[in-house]
Amino acid sequence: MAVQRRYKSLAAAGIATAMTLTLASCSGGPVGKDDVTLKLVAADYGDGAANSSKHYWHDVVEAFEAKHPHIKVDVDVYSWKDVDKEVEKRVKAGNAPDLAQIGAYADYAAEGKLYSADDLLSISTQADFTPGLAEAGEYHRVQYGMPFGASTRRLFYNKKLFAQAGIDSPPKTWSDIKQDAQLLKAAGVKIPFALPLGPEETQAETMIWMLSGGGGYTDSIGKYTIDSRQNIRTFKWVKDNLVAPGLTGTDPAKLNRQDGFNAFASGQAGMLNGHPTLMHQAKAKGIDYGTVALPGTTGPAKSTMGVADWMMGFKQHGHRAEMGQFLDFVYNEDNVLRFSGDYGLLPVTVSASQKMLADDKYKKLHSFLKQLPEAEFYPADKTSWPLVSKTIKAKMGGAVGKNGDPASVLTDIQNTADEADSATR
């Protein structure tokens, strides 16, 4: 269907071009183009001024404008803490940006505010997206979210601490995790297994454990399955085998993801689930680490968690053609590869992924990238997801605590999810 719509739009464009040329010949000269300025709000993937995303966008825009002098692009870069709120504020004020590169698209798609991907992109650009990422960007089977940055999750372990504890191989199963954590604790490691279920990114750690236990947030048709038998079993195991014996080193409900990363990078944590950004942080601190596929109940988990951030185009100002030209440029192979390499992320296109896999410079990213085609993503196509995610952040840390009851907490979250899902259909 997407291809058919694209051919129709190309045909219409051809008719419009013919009419323009006819008018131009009648008036004795070509019709000039009006200058257009596109507004883009983007997230900052850097951790300081030196590697801010502002530098990346400056170079991309400069190269694009040199080839398209009638199109200017103004980019405002905000921290991840502020960028979604900034776009929401502009949309509510009736002055949406032309383009936004943020964390979620479904609400805006549901409100009819976005162009679909095939309204904006050339066929070759849209077809180059990694299929699983393109599908994750669909709302009601139409792609509105264009993937921009992606990552998958693996288990990180500190090789030095493992050796000191007498552990000669990384864990492959939950039983291995428990045994290794016990040995690390006995060797004096402060945080044998870092379990970040604090308010920063609880929904991610929760999903990682759900997948490793054979569950997940939704089933194959998109229905929430938060209180499934598999998920209840998973978090009962986590509570009884990691938290209760003190193998997490600290209260999971109070540990944020970045605090867990900091503990690993400072040599205080033996293991944790992480994404590629942690590689840079650990390397900068001189940590000798390894990564393995997420351990599961009887062997490596069948799937891992994938995360994608999204580019979207708002209809309000009607700059569809100019937005499309800019996005086709943004998503060319070199730009996608440079962005991914600069920020330790995974390419969102097939062409850039193949180029990264062929280059040993990115060798440490290869294991993360090979997982991407089969990764599972947040149910970001559901407009109920923001509320469900907020509820998970508020409750899951306590579910595995001293007085926690995973079954009742998961059931409470399931009820919230079902109510929200019904209200937004």
Side-chain angles (χ1 to χ4, degrees), residues 1-8 118 126 141-142:
M1 292 298 292
V3 173
Q4 291 178 339
R5 288 196 297 272
R6 172 57 60 183
Y7 281 135
K8 288 177 182 177
D118 66 73
Q126 189 175 4
R141 299 187 179 182
V142 177

Side-chain angles (χ1 to χ4, degrees), residues 41-42 68 75 78 119 132-133 216 227 242 249 344 357 362 364 390-391:
V41 175
H68 302 84
V75 184
Y78 292 86
D119 280 337
L133 290 171
D227 64 347
L242 294 182
L357 287 171
Y362 303 107
K364 285 187 175 292
K390 182 179 179 180
T391 307

Side-chain angles (χ1 to χ4, degrees), residues 315-384:
K315 293 179 178 179
Q316 182 176 350
H317 303 294
H319 297 147
R320 183 177 68 84
E322 293 83 4
M323 291 157 64
Q325 290 179 69
F326 180 61
L327 290 173
D328 280 341
F329 185 80
V330 166
Y331 282 108
N332 73 40
E333 182 181 291
D334 291 337
N335 285 332
V336 173
L337 189 62
R338 178 195 160 181
F339 175 80
S340 303
D342 283 355
Y343 296 104
L345 294 167
L346 306 180
V348 297
T349 63
V350 174
S351 60
S353 296
Q354 291 172 342
K355 195 167 185 178
M356 178 176 277
L357 287 171
D359 191 338
D360 282 344
K361 180 173 70 173
Y362 303 107
K363 189 173 182 179
K364 285 187 175 292
L365 282 170
H366 289 176
S367 57
F368 291 89
L369 182 54
K370 289 175 182 178
Q371 297 179 147
L372 187 58
E374 304 302 323
E376 300 281 343
F377 296 86
Y378 293 137
D381 59 322
K382 299 169 80 68
T383 56
S384 57

Side-chain angles (χ1 to χ4, degrees), residues 122-131 350:
S122 66
I123 294 174
S124 58
T125 297
Q126 189 175 4
D128 197 26
F129 287 133
T130 300
V350 174

